[in-house]
Amino acid sequence: MSSAQITSLSSLPFRLPSSSSSSHKPPFLHKPFRSHFHGLQLSHHISPSASSSSSSSSSFKFTISSKVKKGQAPPAFTLKDQDGKNVSLSKFKGKPVVVYFYPADETPGCTKQACAFRDSYEKFKKAGAEVVGISGDDSSSHKAFAKKYRLPFTLLSDEGNKVRKEWGVPADLFGALPGRETYVLDKNGVVQLIYNNQFQPEKHIGETLKLLQSL
């Protein structure tokens, strides 16, 4: 592992467990969560000479790709919001919408991201866009999260992470951390931007506003 990778990992909002304390879990796993390798392709290459060698050498190649692509209409969904009401993606047809997937309520990075969307919400409204946050937390968790930080936008509960899987949101840290990914859909429901940055959550706001202001 390079020094840059070590620096990046050290900036995480939790400490990764050491081999001697594998029973410890990061804070975002205080709620049940089924980890998946969303969009992860794994290929295992073994050199021809490895079979004849007592110390076989092998290499692994990981490729992460999202199912939803720019220029496509993503899969439709209907999920419950923080008030327990059903909300469908089709509700936002006719105006731009920012759909952002985040790991969990109340985690440091997700709180920063939500508050940054809140602080720029008037700019999103001026651009004619709606903001929708999605995580696997239930409606009551979303309601408490929205109330605590005065979030003026919709939070949807994707319990079981069905929509996350259907959209192919890539996980981070080899499936250990739910992905943080933002999609900007135009008024026709077509994806115009996909932005992924787990460790700089506030950058999602700037990147999405740039695009919305150019539409």
Side-chain angles (χ1 to χ4, degrees), residues 59-76:
S59 61
F60 291 88
K61 181 180 179 182
F62 293 92
T63 303
I64 296 178
S65 59
S66 177
K67 291 178 184 177
V68 173
K69 306 290 184 183
K70 181 179 177 181
Q72 296 179 342

Side-chain angles (χ1 to χ4, degrees), residues 101-119:
F101 290 84
Y102 64 98
D105 296 336
E106 295 289 356
T107 57
C110 298
T111 300
K112 283 184 180 180
Q113 183 179 25
C115 290
F117 270 117
R118 176 200 65 197
D119 295 343

Side-chain angles (χ1 to χ4, degrees), residues 114-184:
C115 290
F117 270 117
R118 176 200 65 197
D119 295 343
S120 296
Y121 188 64
E122 288 303 316
K123 294 179 181 179
F124 283 100
K125 286 179 65 177
K126 188 175 181 179
E130 294 286 345
V131 176
V132 177
I134 301 178
S135 81
D137 299 291
D138 60 26
S139 293
S140 61
S141 174
H142 282 337
K143 190 176 185 68
F145 187 49
K147 182 179 180 180
K148 182 176 180 179
Y149 296 102
R150 305 184 307 280
L151 306 180
F153 49 86
T154 300
L155 296 179
L156 297 179
S157 176
D158 182 25
E159 293 188 74
N161 299 292
K162 180 181 177 182
V163 175
R164 181 181 285 271
K165 295 174 204 172
E166 289 178 346
W167 284 46
V169 178
D172 289 301
L173 296 179
F174 303 110
L177 186 63
R180 186 188 309 283
E181 186 143 287
T182 297
Y183 300 81
V184 179

